[in-house]
Amino acid sequence: MQTAEIRRRFIDYFAARGHTIVPSTPLVYNDPTLLFVNAGMVPFKPYFTGAEDAPYKRAVSVQKCVRTLDIEEVGKTTRHGTFFQMNGNFSFGDYFKAEAIEFAWELVTGSQADGFLGFDPDKVWVTAYYDDDEAAALWRGVGVPKAHIQRRGLKDNYWHMGIPGPGGPCSEIYIDRGPEFGPDGGPEADEDRFLEIWNLVFQTEELSAVRAKDDFDVLGPLPSKNIDTGMGLERTAYLLQGVANMYEIDEIFPVITRAAELAGTRYGKDAQDDVRLRVVGDHVRSALMLMTDGVTPGNEARGYVLRRLLRRSIRSMRLLGVTDPVLPELLPVSRDLMASSYSEVPDQWTRTSQVAYAEEEAFRRTLAAGTQIFDLAAGQARSEQSGTLSGSQVFQLHDTYGFPFDLTLEMAAEQGLNVDAEGFRTLMTEQRERAKADAKAKKGATVASEAYRSLRSSGEVPFLGFTDLNAETKVRGIIADGQLVDRAQPGSVVEVVLEETPFYAESGGQDADSGLITGDGLSLEVLDVQRPVQGLVVHKVRIDDGELATGASVLAAVDAAARHAACQAHTATHIVNATLRQLLGQGTHQAGSYNKPGYLRFDFNATSGLSHDLQQELEGVANEAIRADYPVTATEMPLDQAKALGAQAMFGEKYGDVVRMVELAGPWSRELCGGTHVERTAQIGLLSLIGESSVGSGLRRVEAFVAADAFADLAKERALVSGLAELLKVQPDQLAERVGKLIAQVKAAEKEIAAMRSREILSKVPSLVAGATEVGGYRLVAKELPGLGGDDLRNLAMEVRSVFGSAAGVVALVGGAEKPILTVATTEAARALGAKAGALVSVGAAALGGRGGGRDDLAQGGGSDASAGAAALAAISKALAG
């Protein structure tokens, strides 16, 4: 049974039983505690906790997921995958254990001819939480024999997200694959033979802190008893397709087949090669799905995970002997396999492929640069006669230069060198622990939601700010240090929830409103406005005067000037987005934005920077749109209708069934947006582009001033131009030509100065050669030349060496200023006698309190003791004499 067919049967089964079909959320989700969506229930988390009202009582979905903790295990086991799909059925206070178990049993064991999955009931085993007698009894009731029901503890049969949130005991379904896969005895005996395919979670508790799988604090019961299930689509597929592991299913194996063809091998021929091919199959698909959902390669967070997946794929192919670009061969195969289930894959293909191919080309350059660094490290290891690359050297190659550890091992073995793998792993472990501690600190910083949920239970806080900047209202609640309080005193900073508000909460890239909340003897300055849960607006305020009390009548007044400036910036952001799509093509997509009064920042996908001419055109077209005085309209409509009209949506944003579409000049600019805007584009006044830069692989950023800030920026530039023109005694329109001539004159002068300096330095050659001494059969020039830099020392040493001709000559020069620099050059005859520049530099640099290395003919090093130049030269002389 094909994977897409299993997916269809699962959805159809639950849709026929009253479940609303919910499309998969993008992998990048607006939850600050998660890097990626890692479970099928993530989009439903607010419904489980009661933070939001569920729009349906039952739901079914096939959710895209990524888990990154087991990347190193990918390819080595039958079940570890980075990207996977989770079939799930959900109940929000509707049905509970009995119905969930009955549904699961029927779908799993019902005949395929009737539309079910057709697993043999005799091969089904289940587990239940150790004290969940109800679940065990229900399983027996549907036909599972008592001998096939096992009880397990918190580590195995209690599920949570690994962060504060919903949790509860669970019951898992396993399939017995047969005695050839391991010993008998159920899941407790062997989880390779008995493979878990489905987990039924009975969500009943909210966790306030999570320290480990079986170590957490329970805040209290959830508002309702819920069902959250997850069936691994890939695991189910490889059982129903009769293959040995998840990498051999129909959505992955064709990539492996193509990779094997490129490598000139066959899957199943060599165990180690098979692991590498499985890594390629998994990682290429995972990278494709991440890039489709808007992730771009980078050095932090999500971008780092994607970069690692792509580079592990390329590295694995290299270890299989393929050094040519591989992603153009492999990525299209994965695209064709996933397109039938996810329409966004072909829709985003142009951008995705550009990002991927650019990343591979960058990594190929990294490999070339890393190879040079490796060669230096290998030369140093040989010169020190240790024969081992240190853990710190290998870690630097990996961490700083992105050089894969496996490739380091391979190249070291080729050169007969050992690698301090233990030292490398120690440093990697320390880095991971730092990352875990940082992640844990971020998770621990998540504010307990109890106070917010309590205030939200009184109803949604209406936002009046689209039409009103002032509103008479009442204080619904006060939060101090995460706790609800009745009163707060002057001088304190607290959070306030009003019955309704004109204040815009930060979202969609737009900064929060500022302003005042006043009452009888009361004055609060609004510092920030956020929506910690949907439907609840929370104002962070400083109490300047009076005592604040719950239930107090107040006047909420937005700073009108700041709001108007924010509206100007936000509408200008939409104009920049539309202009970029007009100039670069409709494949250009927003990757992030930020706007505040007077300023905007806009990120977008691109494989190269904008030329100067293109930047000017961007600014010109944007200002034409401003002068055209387009009306700015906002219309609420069904999500499907907005998409049909071509409205752009942001990756990772969560949209309801009804959305707000902001439109400028009809189809020229249509975006889903909940922000505030000017009524007509001419109200923006002016846009002044101030910069364009790279913010990651395949990701660019433009920044601009708008309105009064744009005029001020241009006035500053005008003043600068005027001052320079007066200084250079030319008209402003002649300034560029005059500056160009000055630059040419400066370059010519610098070239002449460099030539004079070179002649001066080379004039030292005769006296240096004349001062050579005989040491151990070598002619040695050893001289301190304070003030000379590294390039000068190197050129001088090579010039002196050339004078020696066929003689066995060695040149050792010490220069530098605050920190000494040592250069050593040797002739061919000297090297034939055993004098190697790299080894001699290491000897001399040690005397300087530093280190060095390089080739046998030319090497350089340095240190920290500027007074030890004579000692360094003496050490080299002694080494030659020996």
Side-chain angles (χ1 to χ4, degrees):
M1 190 182 296
Q2 297 292 294
T3 304
E5 174 63 13
I6 300 169
R7 185 179 191 273
R8 185 190 66 78
R9 290 190 179 207
F10 187 90
I11 291 175
D12 288 350
Y13 176 86
F14 284 101
R17 287 155 181 80
H19 291 67
T20 299
I21 301 173
V22 180
S24 174
T25 292
L27 289 164
V28 179
Y29 188 66
N30 57 346
D31 186 329
T33 65
L34 293 175
L35 198 62
F36 302 109
V37 172
N38 62 357
M41 59 76 64
V42 167
F44 305 108
K45 177 183 172 183
Y47 308 151
F48 287 130
T49 62
E52 298 178 23
D53 296 329
Y56 27 69
K57 286 294 186 180
R58 302 181 177 193
V60 59
S61 72
V62 178
Q63 175 62 48
K64 297 179 287 186
C65 302
V66 164
R67 291 182 186 170
T68 60
L69 294 178
D70 298 322
I71 286 180
E72 298 293 342
E73 297 301 314
V74 169
K76 299 176 184 177
T77 72
T78 61
R79 59 183 186 271
H80 281 102
T82 313
F83 170 83
F84 60 96
Q85 300 159 87
M86 190 65 74
N87 298 347
N89 60 288
F90 307 91
S91 165
F92 311 105
D94 188 12
Y95 63 83
F96 199 47
K97 291 182 185 179
E99 294 90 337
I101 288 172
E102 290 167 5
F103 288 151
W105 179 255
E106 181 180 33
L107 180 57
V108 167
T109 62
S111 73
Q112 292 188 5
D114 293 331
F116 305 116
L117 299 182
F119 283 101
D120 183 350
D122 293 337
K123 295 185 181 297
V124 176
W125 288 64
V126 298
T127 62
Y129 188 49
Y130 74 95
D131 65 354
D132 193 349
D133 296 333
E134 180 186 6
L138 288 168
W139 281 117
R140 290 196 298 272
V142 297
V144 180
K146 185 176 182 180
H148 281 202
I149 302 172
Q150 294 184 333
R151 303 294 192 94
R152 308 180 85 174
L154 288 173
K155 284 189 176 180
D156 298 294
N157 275 79
Y158 190 101
W159 194 92
H160 53 70
M161 297 173 62
I163 57 176
C170 62
S171 191
E172 298 171 321
I173 302 174
Y174 292 77
I175 303 298
D176 182 0
R177 302 168 66 199
E180 64 271 29
F181 292 99
D184 199 357
E188 286 194 339
D190 191 309
E191 289 199 10
D192 279 329
R193 171 175 170 173
F194 298 88
L195 188 74
E196 177 201 340
I197 63 166
W198 202 347
N199 187 8
L200 314 181
V201 183
F202 312 126
Q203 298 276 20
T204 54
E205 298 175 322
E206 181 169 9
L207 311 185
S208 58
V210 177
R211 293 170 291 276
K213 186 74 172 67
D214 57 347
D215 183 13
F216 48 81
D217 296 332
V218 177
L219 181 65
L222 291 171
S224 61
K225 292 181 178 181
N226 309 304
I227 289 296
D228 156 29
T229 85
M231 169 188 274
L233 181 54
E234 284 77 8
R235 291 190 184 187
T236 306
Y238 88 72
L239 291 177
L240 290 175
Q241 291 173 18
V243 295
N245 55 62
M246 66 170 287
Y247 311 104
E248 297 177 17
I249 66 172
D250 59 300
E251 287 190 348
I252 302 177
F253 195 66
V255 177
I256 292 177
T257 301
R258 181 61 185 138
E261 290 173 354
L262 294 173
T265 187
R266 175 177 53 80
Y267 182 76
K269 180 180 178 181
D270 178 86
Q272 184 60 49
D273 285 353
D274 285 353
V275 171
R276 291 166 180 161
L277 287 168
R278 289 195 289 266
V279 167
V280 172
D282 172 87
H283 285 7
V284 166
R285 184 174 77 142
S286 300
L288 169 71
M289 300 309 292
L290 284 172
M291 290 184 292
T292 295
D293 280 355
V295 182
T296 56
N299 292 325
E300 296 181 355
R302 298 181 177 108
Y304 176 76
V305 172
L306 172 58
R307 172 163 286 168
R308 188 180 179 199
L309 293 172
L310 288 170
R311 293 187 170 190
R312 276 173 60 87
S313 303
I314 299 163
R315 177 202 69 192
S316 296
M317 292 299 292
R318 182 185 176 95
L319 293 175
L320 288 165
V322 183
T323 56
D324 292 333
V326 296
L327 292 182
E329 297 288 340
L330 301 176
L331 207 61
V333 178
S334 189
R335 172 202 61 197
D336 295 343
L337 295 170
M338 302 305 294
S340 61
S341 295
Y342 300 100
S343 61
E344 61 265 31
V345 171
D347 291 347
Q348 300 297 327
W349 173 250
T350 300
R351 176 186 56 81
T352 296
S353 57
Q354 288 176 346
V355 169
Y357 302 161
E359 178 65 16
E360 178 168 22
E361 183 56 37
F363 186 45
R364 287 166 60 81
R365 292 194 297 269
T366 294
L367 288 175
T371 300
Q372 294 179 348
I373 304 299
F374 172 87
D375 289 342
L376 289 174
Q380 181 178 339
R382 284 192 296 269
S383 69
E384 295 175 352
Q385 299 183 342
S386 67
T388 299
L389 294 178
S390 70
S392 60
Q393 289 174 316
V394 179
F395 179 77
Q396 183 185 31
L397 274 167
H398 172 82
D399 192 57
T400 305
Y401 299 100
F403 208 65
F405 177 60
D406 287 355
L407 197 55
T408 300
L409 288 175
E410 177 190 14
M411 294 173 63
E414 290 173 354
Q415 299 195 28
L417 296 172
N418 297 316
V419 172
D420 179 13
E422 189 60 36
F424 168 77
R425 292 190 181 98
T426 298
L427 292 170
M428 284 296 294
T429 299
E430 292 174 356
Q431 184 189 61
R432 288 193 190 102
E433 291 302 320
R434 288 193 296 271
K436 285 181 181 178
D438 182 55
K440 188 174 182 180
K442 290 179 179 178
K443 289 178 182 177
T446 304
V447 177
S449 61
E450 181 65 30
Y452 296 143
R453 189 166 69 239
S454 174
L455 293 172
R456 177 64 178 82
S457 65
S458 299
E460 182 174 342
V461 175
F463 172 61
L464 311 177
F466 287 134
T467 56
D468 299 306
L469 296 184
N470 299 284
E472 293 184 355
T473 182
K474 289 187 176 183
V475 176
R476 178 184 294 184
I478 307 166
I479 303 172
D481 299 324
Q483 302 295 320
L484 283 172
V485 296
D486 292 329
R487 298 179 178 277
Q489 303 304 315
S492 59
V493 175
V494 296
E495 292 178 310
V496 175
V497 174
L498 305 175
E499 292 296 345
E500 56 270 318
T501 182
F503 284 91
Y504 181 82
E506 179 185 359
S507 63
Q510 180 176 333
D511 230 352
D513 279 336
S514 58
L516 295 174
I517 299 174
T518 57
D520 186 12
L522 182 68
S523 178
L524 317 176
E525 181 181 357
V526 178
L527 307 174
D528 191 19
V529 190
Q530 297 290 331
R531 290 182 185 269
V533 297
Q534 187 174 353
L536 190 72
V537 180
V538 177
H539 311 74
K540 183 179 180 181
V541 303
R542 182 177 59 241
I543 305 175
D544 292 333
D545 292 300
E547 181 185 67
L548 176 65
T550 301
S553 296
V554 294
L555 174 66
V558 174
D559 184 327
R563 163 67 79 82
H564 182 66
C567 291
Q568 292 171 315
H570 199 155
T571 306
T573 304
H574 284 223
I575 290 174
V576 169
N577 188 6
T579 302
L580 283 168
R581 287 168 63 83
Q582 176 181 321
L583 298 179
L584 303 181
Q586 295 303 302
T588 304
H589 289 281
Q590 179 178 349
S593 67
Y594 172 70
N595 51 78
K596 64 179 183 178
Y599 168 86
L600 70 85
R601 181 181 74 213
F602 186 84
D603 297 343
F604 61 99
N605 63 293
T607 55
S608 60
L610 300 181
S611 66
H612 177 72
D613 288 345
L614 204 52
Q615 290 182 48
Q616 285 192 316
E617 191 172 2
L618 167 61
E619 186 178 69
V621 173
N623 279 306
E624 285 176 10
I626 291 171
R627 290 193 299 273
D629 199 25
Y630 295 138
V632 181
T633 60
T635 308
E636 289 192 348
M637 63 181 66
L639 177 60
D640 290 342
Q641 181 183 346
K643 287 182 176 179
L645 289 171
Q648 292 185 72
M650 267 292 293
F651 285 116
E653 283 293 324
K654 181 180 178 182
Y655 297 102
D657 294 333
V658 177
V659 295
R660 182 171 182 263
M661 184 180 76
V662 174
E663 188 176 55
L664 287 70
W668 187 70
S669 173
R670 284 176 175 151
E671 296 189 40
L672 302 185
C673 178
T676 61
H677 293 271
V678 294
E679 295 178 352
R680 305 189 67 88
T681 58
Q683 294 174 1
I684 297 170
L686 182 68
L687 180 145
S688 175
L689 194 66
I690 58 175
E692 192 271 352
S693 60
S694 170
V695 289
S697 179
L699 199 63
R700 307 294 300 183
R701 170 175 293 171
V702 293
E703 297 175 271
F705 289 129
V706 295
D709 291 75
F711 284 104
D713 183 56
L714 292 178
K716 187 189 301 181
E717 284 191 8
R718 181 177 180 181
L720 177 63
V721 169
S722 178
L724 288 173
E726 183 178 350
L727 182 65
L728 297 176
K729 308 302 182 187
V730 295
Q731 294 299 313
D733 60 353
Q734 300 171 329
L735 193 57
E737 180 183 358
R738 178 66 176 132
V739 171
K741 288 181 179 179
L742 286 175
I743 290 173
Q745 291 172 3
V746 170
K747 287 183 177 179
E750 288 175 342
K751 187 175 180 180
E752 179 60 27
I753 291 170
M756 292 174 61
R757 179 174 177 80
S758 179
R759 290 194 294 271
E760 178 187 359
I761 291 171
L762 293 180
S763 69
K764 301 177 185 293
V765 171
S767 62
L768 289 173
V769 173
T773 59
E774 295 292 330
V775 178
Y778 303 95
R779 293 190 65 191
L780 171 64
V781 170
K783 187 71 174 178
E784 287 189 81
L785 299 169
L788 287 190
D791 290 343
D792 291 338
L793 285 174
R794 188 162 44 249
N795 293 335
L796 185 55
M798 289 190 295
E799 192 68 29
V800 172
R801 180 180 63 184
S802 68
V803 175
F804 283 140
S806 61
V810 176
V811 184
L813 306 176
V814 176
E818 296 180 0
K819 291 187 176 181
I821 301 171
L822 170 64
T823 297
V824 176
T826 58
T827 64
E828 185 176 353
R831 294 192 293 277
L833 292 176
K836 306 296 174 65
L840 292 172
V841 157
S842 294
V843 170
L848 295 172
R851 58 194 305 178
R855 304 192 307 269
D856 291 345
D857 64 325
L858 183 66
Q860 199 161 52
S864 56
D865 188 356
S867 66
L873 295 174
I876 292 173
S877 179
K878 183 178 179 181
L880 287 172

